Amino acid sequence: MRSNHGATRAQLAKLLRLMHADKVTMHVLRHCIEGERLDLDEEQQSRVMREIFDVRTSAGQAKAEGLLRAVQQQERLPADLQQASGSKQADKLARAIWDAYLKQRSSKSRVLVMGRLARALSRSLAALSDSCMVVLGDTTLDRLSDMGQQVQVLLLPAPQDVASEPQIASQELFDLLLVAEPMGYLDVGEYAEKLRPFIRRRELEDEKVADQVQCLVIEARERLEDARDELFSAGYYLADHVEAFPKLRRAAAEDGRAVTLLSLPSAEKELLKRSAQDKALERKSRRLREDEDRAQLEEDEQQQRNLLHATLFDPLLLDPLLLDPEAPVARCEVAYELGASKDEAEVVVFWLHGNNEDAEVWRPHLFVSPVEAGVGEGSSGRRLRVVAAIPPEGHQQWFQCSDEDAVRRGMEWYEMSDGPTEEAVAKARADAARNVSFGKPSLEELRCLQEIELCCKQLLRLIDDEVGPRTSKVVLGGFSQGGSVAAYLALSGIASAEMQQRFQALVICCSGVPVFHFLASKMQVGCLAARDEADARIDFPTVHMIYGRDDPEVKDSFVQTISDLCKRFDFPTVVQRFDRDENEERFPARARRQMLEEVLRLVIAAD
């Protein structure tokens, strides 16, 4: 021990370990170390023992690992407490448990016992009374034939299979779960969690006297806290406050063990918790379904949106049946005609009233005298004819959108430039028609445009039928929704190139043209195409805008924006405003006659 020679110390340590490993020489070694002949003090004796178990050496590590394996192997085997004092200690614990929780029960009690000490405790409990049915759950059935009739032996299944074990998941609930030295022997937390539905608990949460304990744990003192934590994680609560706890603690302490008591929530609380969990799961499942449905709907809507945006008002996709008079396709009808006949007319005005209006209310304001029509003595203008168009039979509306709603549908556009500098902005303004971008309409807006496109096709079919051989110019106009349909037909480019060249003018009165930025993008395409074809002469129709000031449905800023965008894309634009009293209708009769007559004269006089 006093030598610093490494080899000598290693050989001596090896010799001491070999002596300590043998049962006979181990006692001789201890007697020598503690004897008077060597005269070793406590510190020297401690140093000798450290040499035996010094983990810094390979031999010491092997010894320590061997001892650890031996302890673990011992923990995996059931303890036999029937011999010597072990049997008496098991009887004391069983008697204390019986007196505290089982004796006073009127009906036959049922107890599930698990753990390394389960066998001894099961025998002792079964011996106390034939009214106690003990179920012994063990990890092995080796040497379990002598447990007696009061003990039902059960080979524990895996924790996840507990609910399928008939002896556990029976109609009879367990009155008590007794877990004796579980640490290192079984997974107490997993088993305790799966056993919860099969253990009886108090009915009401307010019950503070009876059925306060559902689980009793016996464990070595140093490992009791770990076992308790396992049970806490499984949903059990500490119940060491009950009256029987001191007696149980003393009974366990006589054999160097400790005890703790645990309870489960009441059946009332468990039912509420389960109900809340079921509702939470249902809500989660519903949210997941709603999210999936919403995602699918968004995907479908995005596909519809892309398709509609690419195909709406595309002249290449114009229904060929529209040009076939024999085809069974709906078209606008004629309410009445004014002015020159179909064969004599050189300018034809197609007028569309608003939703749910009677076309007859416009007859006095669209009347054209023979002189003004170019057919009477002293006439100097072209022969003019007015056709009041109405939706096909069975329809009272052009599309389902008020002017107020239309103003809120679509005026999304952006000025573009190469940079934020004043020079870049000025350069962009010099080519304003090219340096502007329009947002893509929403699906709801595109569906509104679907209705308008159908009206445009129906109107275009009527125009093709009503235009005579002498007709050189066509004027489209209307009030409110009728004006919006006229605007889309005149400005979207949906008509054939030949018909598009006949459109001389557009007259929109108090119309909240919906999704105008979609229409403006069509106007931009036509404008840039016309500029690129230097040799081609493309005349855009003149846009006549007639709006009242402070219109309750169409804001002044909306009127100004439409005017600015039309001018940006080379459409000649004339804005006429009129004043109205608050109590008057949006387009008073006095303004109708005056302004419409003025527009018709301009149309007649135009080249």
Side-chain angles (χ1 to χ4, degrees), residues 451-468:
E451 298 182 60
I452 299 176
E453 184 189 39
L454 178 60
C455 296
C456 290
K457 291 179 178 181
Q458 293 169 346
L459 178 59
L460 188 59
R461 181 177 175 83
L462 175 64
I463 293 173
D464 183 71
D465 187 56
E466 291 292 329
V467 170

Side-chain angles (χ1 to χ4, degrees), residues 309-345:
H309 190 265
T311 58
L312 281 176
F313 297 95
D314 189 336
L316 297 178
L317 300 177
L318 184 65
D319 192 341
L321 296 178
L322 290 173
L323 304 179
D324 183 3
E326 302 300 328
V329 178
R331 61 178 172 179
C332 292
E333 298 182 358
V334 177
Y336 52 83
E337 301 173 351
L338 302 174
S341 66
K342 175 179 177 179
D343 295 334
E344 295 177 343

Side-chain angles (χ1 to χ4, degrees), residues 349-352 362 403 411 475-491 505-514 516 519 523 542-548 551 554 558-564 566 572-578 586-587 595-596 599 603:
V349 176
F350 290 88
W351 183 260
L352 287 68
W362 292 94
D403 291 307
M411 194 58 76
V475 177
L476 301 172
F479 168 73
S480 190
Q481 290 84 6
S484 297
V485 174
Y488 266 92
L489 179 55
L491 304 178
L506 167 67
V507 183
I508 52 177
C509 303
C510 306
S511 299
V513 185
F516 193 82
L519 183 55
M523 297 165 64
T542 301
V543 181
H544 295 269
M545 300 175 59
I546 302 176
Y547 284 85
D551 189 309
V554 181
F558 185 84
V559 178
Q560 185 63 45
T561 301
I562 290 181
S563 173
D564 292 343
C566 289
T573 306
V574 179
V575 181
Q576 294 177 277
R577 308 301 298 269
F578 60 87
R586 294 179 59 209
F587 198 6
M595 293 192 168
L596 289 179
V599 170
V603 170

Side-chain angles (χ1 to χ4, degrees), residues 358-607:
D358 186 357
E360 288 294 332
V361 302
W362 292 94
R363 184 188 289 268
H365 311 297
L366 297 174
F367 176 75
V368 183
S369 68
V371 174
E372 292 170 337
V375 297
E377 182 179 354
S379 64
S380 58
R382 293 175 294 177
R383 295 177 181 272
L384 178 65
R385 179 166 175 259
V386 177
V387 177
I390 59 176
E393 184 178 359
H395 295 79
Q396 297 296 322
Q397 296 181 335
W398 295 104
F399 57 92
Q400 296 180 356
C401 179
S402 68
D403 291 307
E404 186 176 7
D405 291 335
V407 170
R408 293 195 292 263
R409 291 178 185 270
M411 194 58 76
E412 184 180 346
W413 53 288
Y414 314 93
E415 301 281 3
M416 297 189 300
S417 63
D418 294 336
T421 63
E422 295 183 0
E423 293 80 6
V425 174
K427 181 180 178 182
R429 288 175 179 171
D431 192 1
R434 198 177 301 275
N435 293 305
V436 61
S437 175
F438 297 93
K440 184 181 291 188
S442 67
L443 180 60
E444 183 182 3
E445 292 172 341
L446 290 171
R447 286 171 176 167
C448 177
L449 295 184
Q450 270 188 302
E451 298 182 60
I452 299 176
E453 184 189 39
L454 178 60
C455 296
C456 290
K457 291 179 178 181
Q458 293 169 346
L459 178 59
L460 188 59
R461 181 177 175 83
L462 175 64
I463 293 173
D464 183 71
D465 187 56
E466 291 292 329
V467 170
R470 294 185 55 181
T471 303
S472 60
K473 295 297 179 183
V474 173
V475 177
L476 301 172
F479 168 73
S480 190
Q481 290 84 6
S484 297
V485 174
Y488 266 92
L489 179 55
L491 304 178
S492 66
I494 190 176
S496 64
E498 180 183 358
M499 182 61 71
Q500 195 72 39
Q501 287 301 307
R502 291 191 176 198
F503 292 159
Q504 179 183 2
L506 167 67
V507 183
I508 52 177
C509 303
C510 306
S511 299
V513 185
V515 202
F516 193 82
H517 64 293
F518 178 86
L519 183 55
S521 66
K522 300 288 185 181
M523 297 165 64
Q524 181 185 36
V525 172
C527 171
L528 297 179
R531 290 184 182 184
D532 292 339
E533 297 180 13
D535 297 335
R537 186 177 183 276
I538 301 177
D539 294 328
F540 294 114
T542 301
V543 181
H544 295 269
M545 300 175 59
I546 302 176
Y547 284 85
R549 294 183 178 87
D550 299 324
D551 189 309
E553 296 192 27
V554 181
K555 299 178 181 179
D556 293 344
S557 58
F558 185 84
V559 178
Q560 185 63 45
T561 301
I562 290 181
S563 173
D564 292 343
L565 287 175
C566 289
K567 293 176 181 178
R568 179 191 290 259
F569 300 125
D570 300 340
F571 285 80
T573 306
V574 179
V575 181
Q576 294 177 277
R577 308 301 298 269
F578 60 87
D579 296 318
R580 50 177 292 278
D581 296 334
E582 291 184 1
N583 297 327
E584 286 186 313
E585 55 188 353
R586 294 179 59 209
F587 198 6
R590 56 179 175 77
R592 295 186 185 189
R593 183 57 187 262
Q594 175 187 350
M595 293 192 168
L596 289 179
E597 283 185 357
E598 183 178 347
V599 170
L600 291 177
R601 289 193 184 96
L602 290 174
V603 170
I604 294 172
D607 292 334

Side-chain angles (χ1 to χ4, degrees), residues 293-312:
D293 294 342
R294 190 181 300 109
Q296 184 62 46
L297 180 61
E298 289 176 356
E299 182 180 353
D300 294 342
E301 289 183 348
Q302 186 62 38
Q303 292 177 355
Q304 294 179 36
R305 183 185 180 197
N306 294 337
L307 178 62
L308 289 174
H309 190 265
T311 58
L312 281 176

Side-chain angles (χ1 to χ4, degrees), residues 203-269:
E203 289 294 328
L204 302 177
E205 186 65 21
D206 293 338
E207 173 62 59
K208 303 299 182 183
V209 178
D211 298 323
Q212 295 298 299
V213 175
Q214 282 76 46
C215 179
L216 189 149
V217 180
I218 303 170
E219 185 55 275
R221 290 192 181 92
E222 64 273 12
R223 293 187 296 189
L224 181 65
E225 186 174 351
D226 294 336
R228 182 186 296 165
D229 291 342
E230 289 284 327
L231 272 297
F232 287 165
S233 65
Y236 291 71
Y237 299 89
L238 190 65
D240 288 351
H241 60 281
V242 298
E243 183 180 354
F245 178 66
K247 183 178 179 181
L248 291 169
R249 181 174 56 185
R250 287 193 297 272
E254 292 181 10
D255 199 34
R257 296 182 177 89
V259 65
T260 189
L261 304 177
L262 299 152
S263 66
L264 285 170
S266 66
E268 177 187 29
K269 186 174 182 180

Side-chain angles (χ1 to χ4, degrees), residues 73-83 86 90 115-121 123 138 140 143-144 180-181 185 255 257:
Q73 184 65 26
Q74 183 182 7
E75 289 177 343
R76 294 191 187 99
L77 296 176
D80 187 0
L81 299 183
Q82 294 188 79
Q83 300 175 357
R116 200 169 71 89
L117 307 180
R119 299 187 179 196
L121 286 175
R123 291 190 184 95
D138 210 336
T140 175
R143 290 178 293 178
L144 275 176
E181 287 200 6
Y185 191 73
D255 199 34
R257 296 182 177 89

